[in-house]
């Protein structure tokens, strides 16, 4: 009876297309919004993710997330180095100077000061120039998106200058640092130099980056550092999640996305569920005839499930295709780079849509099962 | 002339059926005794509302009687489980409805093949058998037409093919000509008596169209929930 079920389904073209559209539309919205939401949340920890040379982040207990830090004392670095199991520990500072170009463009930027000796704390990849050249006086590495922002329409090249707090600095490299939460340019400089660019005397050590000795897990090291120094120590992954949780709890972003996602969910459930249900109700007479002819209840359930799963599958595939196309286009754009269709969303929405079509078909199945087959004799 | 009851394909004894409860209860079947023989065309006639449709629904196993029994080919259908009853119906019954009840999304051949498909016959074979039957019923030019492209008479012929395709032992037709004009109704009736009647098959036709009575082998008259009398027609009478 599969054939009959599918023909019944496609026979009513308007409803069939309506169902597919409703499911495709809500699939697209759900996948799109959840992926963008996850991508934005992920950006809150971009600069943490970029540091691959150290697994443990040490900070003042008052520091809750990456953007807002309470400075550590210089002695804290030595105390961390003194904790057994620490292979090495280096300092990192983070500040938000305003960078200006000679043409007068300017933008607030994220400035990261990395360890003078080892340059630990800088992302590995560089597009132009080299990290080593940070050792030259008055030098910075700028990320590509920041470059495009500050020097719009100009080709990528090193040697240009920026001015920060009356200091003229030269760009010696262009990095592809992960997109930060607020789309500010990312500047890397040596720790000691970065401080002078900011015109500050006082030490501004924001973090200590540490790496455990072989055989010690980062998690274990965070425990040891905390016990020994009273400072807050987090593994890279924990700290990224701290940032995500901070934004989830302290901004309107989750609510905003939550509304869109709920609407998409509601449309998915209500429109496709109801359209499918109406489809069955309008076909009750046909189901009644099939019942009289001797199609078993199992056969009828099979037909309805097949119809529901078919529209569900086609709609979901279309919606996912649309979402994939969307991200294919936008993940290559500078402003939205790194925001991708996450497989978790694709799987999650698949399960959700499965739930929607099964829920819709259960109502339909109920209607058909209680249908009195003798009703076929009555007009 | 009374034939031995052993050849009765359908036998109903003292059937009772009511709808609703309390004040609103209607007693529709009030002790129906009825039988139909294999190889014959049995008409069930009577005024509108007298219980004809209810009776054939009970016979076909689509409704349960309140009391009394139905025996089809020696089988007491009340003894079958609901699931067995569905399978029994699928194997042994064919239906023709007043409103045709074809599936609008299927072609004529596919519609006629539905009972075979329901029984699990392969699609190609089922449709082939349905086509052969439609050709016999004069629809060779409309095999792939959709129901909405067919006239009422053509649709009823497709419905007839659907009732016959799985070679059931009992066919029940509820007012098969009521929606058709006289000439078309007449030709459908011709086909029904010509192709449905078979020595091992009983055919029950509910109608109140007396223009087609001459096709009947026997006519059971029903009124107010009872069979009032049975007219037996001889083959000679039937011819006219
Ligand atoms: N499902 C039902 N519920 C309530 N009353 C019904 C139902 N089916 C039939 N009836 C009533 O039973 C009586 C007989 O109906 P029916 O068997 O359809 O008569 P006929 O086919 O002879 O015209 C009518 O009065 C009708 O209203
Ligand atoms: Mg009736």
């Amino acid at each position: 009876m599969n054939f009959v079920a599918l023909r019944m389904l496609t026979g009513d073209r308007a409803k069939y297309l309506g169902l597919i559209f409703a499911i495709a539309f809500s699939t697209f919205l759900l996948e799109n919004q959840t992926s963008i939401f996850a991508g934005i949340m992920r950006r809150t920890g971009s600069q943490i993710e970029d540091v691959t040379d150290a697994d443990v982040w040490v900070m003042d207990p008052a520091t809750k997330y990456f953007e807002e830090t309470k400075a550590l004392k210089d002695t804290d670095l030595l105390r961390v180095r003194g904790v057994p199991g620490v292979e090495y520990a280096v300092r990192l500072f983070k500040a938000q100077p305003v960078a200006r170009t000679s043409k007068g463009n300017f933008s607030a930027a994220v400035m990261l000061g990395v360890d003078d000796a080892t340059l630990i704390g800088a992302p590995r990849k560089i597009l132009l120039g080299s990290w080593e050249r940070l050792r030259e006086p008055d030098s910075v590495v700028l990320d590509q998106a920041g470059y495009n922002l500050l020097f719009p329409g100009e080709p990528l090249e090193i040697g240009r200058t920026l001015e920060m707090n009356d200091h003229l600095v030269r760009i010696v490299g262009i990095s592809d640092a992960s997109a930060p939460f607020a789309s500010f340019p990312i500047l890397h400089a040596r720790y000691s130099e970065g401080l002078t660019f900011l015109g500050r005397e006082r030490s501004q050590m924001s973090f200590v980056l540490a790496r455990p000795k072989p055989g010690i897990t980062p998690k274990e090291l965070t425990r040891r550092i905390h016990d020994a120094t009273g400072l807050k120590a987090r593994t890279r992954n924990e700290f990224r999640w701290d940032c995500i949780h901070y934004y989830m709890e302290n901004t309107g972003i989750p609510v905003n996305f939550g509304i869109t996602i709920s609407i998409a969910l509601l449309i998915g459930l209500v429109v496709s569920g109801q359209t499918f249900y109406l489809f069955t109700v309008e076909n009750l007479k046909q189901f009644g005839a099939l019942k009289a002819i001797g199609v078993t209840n199992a056969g009828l359930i099979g037909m309805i499930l097949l119809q529901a799963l078919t529209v569900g599958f086609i709609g979901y595939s279309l919606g996912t295709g649309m979402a994939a196309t969307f991200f294919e286009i936008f993940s290559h754009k500078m402003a939205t780079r790194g925001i991708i269709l996450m497989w978790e969303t694709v799987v999650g929405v698949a399960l959700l849509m499965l739930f929607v079509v099964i829920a819709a078909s259960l109502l339909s199945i109920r209607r058909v099962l209680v249908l009195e087959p003798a009703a076929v004799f009555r007009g | 002339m009374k034939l031995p009851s052993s050849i009765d394909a359908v036998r109903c004894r003292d059937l009772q059926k009511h709808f609703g409860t309390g004040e609103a209860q209607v007693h529709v079947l009030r002790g129906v005794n009825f039988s139909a023989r294999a190889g014959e065309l049995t008409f069930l006639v009577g005024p509108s509302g007298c219980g004809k449709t209810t009776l054939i629904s009970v016979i076909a196993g689509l409704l349960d009687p309140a009391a009394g029994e139905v025996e089809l080919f020696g089988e007491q259908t009340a003894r079958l489980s609901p699931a067995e009853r569905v399978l029994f119906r699928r194997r042994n019954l064919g239906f023709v409805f007043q409103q045709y009840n074809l599936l609008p999304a299927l072609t004529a051949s596919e519609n006629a093949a539905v009972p075979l498909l329901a029984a699990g016959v392969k699609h190609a074979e089922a449709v082939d058998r349905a086509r052969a039957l439609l050709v016999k019923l004069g629809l060779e030019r409309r095999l792939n037409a959709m129901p909405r492209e067919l006239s009422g008479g053509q649709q009823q012929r497709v419905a007839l093919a659907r009732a016959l395709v799985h070679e059931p032992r009992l066919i029940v037709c509820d007012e098969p000509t009521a929606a058709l004009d006289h000439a078309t109704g007449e030709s459908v009736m011709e086909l029904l008596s010509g192709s449905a009647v078979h020595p091992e098959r009983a055919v029950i036709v509910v109608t109140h169209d007396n223009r087609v009575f001459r096709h009947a082998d026997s006519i059971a008259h029903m009124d107010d929930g009872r069979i009032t009398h049975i007219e037996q027609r001889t083959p000679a009478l039937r011819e006219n």
Side-chain angles (χ1 to χ4, degrees):
Chain A
M1 293 307 280
N2 292 350
F3 159 81
V4 177
L6 293 178
R7 287 289 287 274
M8 274 172 83
L9 179 67
T10 53
D12 189 342
R13 185 131 321 170
K15 279 225 178 46
Y16 176 61
L17 295 179
L19 268 169
I20 286 179
F21 177 78
I23 293 172
F25 178 73
S26 73
T27 297
F28 171 75
L29 264 187
L30 284 170
E31 290 182 349
N32 181 284
Q33 291 296 298
T34 48
S35 285
I36 291 178
F37 176 62
I40 287 177
M41 283 296 125
R42 185 186 179 143
R43 282 184 169 188
T44 63
S46 280
Q47 275 56 59
I48 303 165
E49 200 178 350
D50 274 352
V51 176
T52 51
D53 290 325
D55 311 303
V56 171
W57 289 65
V58 185
M59 64 207 86
D60 186 276
T63 297
K64 290 205 181 66
Y65 65 116
F66 184 78
E67 300 288 324
E68 228 177 277
T69 53
K70 181 159 188 274
L72 293 166
K73 291 194 276 296
D74 280 337
T75 49
D76 288 335
L77 177 61
L78 299 174
R79 290 168 67 209
V80 172
R81 283 183 176 156
V83 174
V86 171
E87 169 106 352
Y88 59 71
V90 297
R91 47 196 187 158
L92 179 79
F93 91 77
K94 185 195 123 325
Q96 271 198 22
V98 173
R100 295 172 193 280
T101 67
S102 55
K103 284 192 180 165
N105 287 334
F106 66 94
S107 169
V110 175
M111 153 86 70
L112 297 169
V114 302
D115 184 53
D116 282 63
T118 61
L119 301 183
I120 285 171
R124 290 250 169 78
K125 271 220 256 166
I126 192 139
L127 301 173
L128 219 58
S130 79
W131 290 110
E132 281 308 309
R133 290 192 55 189
L134 271 187
R135 300 189 190 288
E136 296 169 12
D138 297 326
S139 60
V140 292
V141 170
L142 174 63
D143 75 313
Q144 187 185 4
Y147 186 96
N148 291 339
L149 189 77
L150 288 165
F151 305 99
E154 297 188 38
L156 286 189
E157 55 186 43
I158 52 180
R160 292 180 190 278
T161 55
L162 287 172
E163 185 245 291
M164 279 181 289
N165 295 312
D166 302 328
H167 283 270
L168 206 58
V169 300
R170 206 174 47 247
I171 299 169
V172 297
I174 293 171
S175 73
D176 69 343
S178 302
F181 176 69
S183 26
F184 293 149
I186 306 280
L187 289 163
H188 284 89
R190 271 183 294 129
Y191 193 95
S192 58
E193 283 220 319
L195 286 182
T196 52
F197 301 159
L198 294 173
R200 285 183 187 157
E201 297 304 316
R202 213 155 49 85
S203 166
Q204 284 293 314
M205 184 164 68
S206 312
F207 299 101
V208 170
L209 304 177
R211 171 168 228 172
K213 289 205 164 106
I216 296 175
T217 63
K219 182 72 202 158
E220 166 66 13
L221 190 65
T222 60
R223 203 185 52 73
R224 290 192 192 181
I225 292 173
H226 176 74
D227 290 351
T229 64
L231 297 172
K232 182 167 161 187
R234 306 291 278 163
T235 65
R236 187 186 325 141
N237 215 27
E238 285 171 347
F239 192 32
R240 283 178 56 198
W241 277 106
D242 289 346
C243 295
I244 290 172
H245 288 142
Y246 181 86
Y247 280 86
M248 297 273 262
E249 284 154 25
N250 295 288
T251 67
I253 299 168
V255 176
N256 263 319
F257 278 91
I259 289 171
T260 321
I261 290 167
S262 312
I263 290 173
L265 201 61
L266 211 68
I267 291 177
L269 264 167
V270 174
V271 177
S272 42
Q274 160 149 317
T275 312
F276 186 75
Y277 179 68
L278 281 181
F279 169 79
T280 309
V281 169
E282 274 178 25
N283 288 334
L284 273 184
K285 214 178 136 196
Q286 300 182 40
F287 283 114
L290 292 173
K291 240 178 149 166
I293 285 168
V295 178
T296 58
N297 281 345
L300 293 167
I301 292 171
M303 286 177 73
I304 293 173
L305 280 180
L306 177 67
Q307 292 172 336
L309 290 174
T310 302
V311 283
F313 179 77
I314 296 175
Y316 170 79
S317 305
L318 275 178
T320 302
M322 273 155 40
T325 311
F326 175 92
F327 285 104
E328 180 59 26
I329 293 167
F330 283 92
S331 64
H332 295 309
K333 295 221 189 296
M334 199 38 85
T336 43
R337 69 196 190 278
I339 296 189
I340 52 164
L341 179 58
M342 304 202 319
W343 69 265
E344 290 94 337
T345 351
V346 175
V347 172
V349 174
L351 294 176
L352 197 74
M353 286 300 146
L354 191 65
F355 167 78
V356 168
V357 293
I358 292 199
S361 39
L362 285 184
L363 290 177
S364 299
I365 286 170
R366 213 187 67 91
R367 271 306 280 271
V368 170
L369 291 188
V370 302
L371 178 68
E372 178 75 73
V376 284
F377 283 123
R378 317 194 179 278
Chain B
M1 180 180 73
K2 180 117 175 97
L3 291 167
S5 60
S6 63
I7 65 162
D8 283 349
V10 177
R11 247 191 300 173
C12 305
R13 263 192 296 272
D14 211 22
L15 283 180
Q16 306 275 343
K17 178 74 186 173
H18 22 73
F19 292 110
T21 50
E23 296 268 299
Q25 194 177 62
V26 267
H27 203 166
V28 180
L29 301 183
R30 302 162 175 258
V32 171
N33 291 292
F34 171 81
S35 60
R37 281 189 288 251
E40 291 192 358
L41 201 53
T42 305
F43 274 32
L44 181 61
V45 305
S48 186
C50 73
K52 305 182 296 293
T53 296
T54 306
L55 175 57
I56 58 164
S57 301
V58 170
I59 290 172
L62 302 177
L63 283 181
D64 290 328
E69 51 186 44
V70 176
E71 197 182 291
L72 300 181
F73 316 103
E75 182 93 53
Q76 302 256 335
T77 50
R79 295 210 185 127
L80 299 173
S81 71
E84 286 171 330
R85 220 178 297 172
V86 175
L87 295 184
F88 184 87
R89 208 156 65 219
R90 186 164 91 189
R91 204 171 302 127
N92 297 301
L93 267 90
F95 293 91
V96 178
F97 311 101
Q98 176 178 340
Q99 295 301 332
Y100 327 127
N101 280 336
L102 300 177
L103 302 189
L106 302 189
T107 64
S109 317
E110 291 161 351
N111 260 296
V114 163
L116 297 175
L117 295 173
V121 175
K122 287 226 170 56
H123 185 264
E125 186 194 335
V127 172
D128 277 351
R129 278 168 63 182
R131 279 169 191 272
L133 197 50
L134 287 172
V135 170
K136 269 196 209 156
L137 295 175
L139 286 173
E140 63 280 347
R141 291 164 181 278
R142 310 311 315 259
L143 296 176
N144 296 319
M146 303 308 282
R148 69 187 131 75
E149 300 163 350
L150 297 173
S151 69
Q154 289 171 330
Q155 290 191 57
Q156 197 58 302
R157 279 191 272 169
V158 175
L160 185 56
R162 179 174 67 184
L164 287 168
V165 74
H166 52 310
E167 298 177 350
R169 289 197 287 172
L170 170 62
I171 293 183
V172 292
C173 312
D174 195 9
E175 317 243 12
T177 60
L180 304 174
D181 63 51
H182 177 62
T184 316
E186 181 58 39
S187 74
V188 165
M189 215 57 212
E190 288 282 350
L191 282 170
L192 187 61
S193 66
S195 59
V197 177
H198 179 280
E200 283 166 28
R201 177 186 298 142
V203 182
I204 302 173
V205 179
V206 170
T207 185
H208 50 226
D209 182 358
N210 54 19
R211 295 168 303 195
V212 297
F213 279 11
R214 60 192 181 79
H215 295 282
D217 294 303
S218 94
I219 303 178
H221 290 267
M222 191 169 183
D223 197 7
D224 198 19
R226 288 190 188 84
I227 301 292
T228 52
H229 64 288
I230 294 172
E231 266 180 80
Q232 204 66 49
R233 301 253 170 141
T234 65
L237 251 177
R238 206 186 140 201
E239 287 308 301
N240 297 310

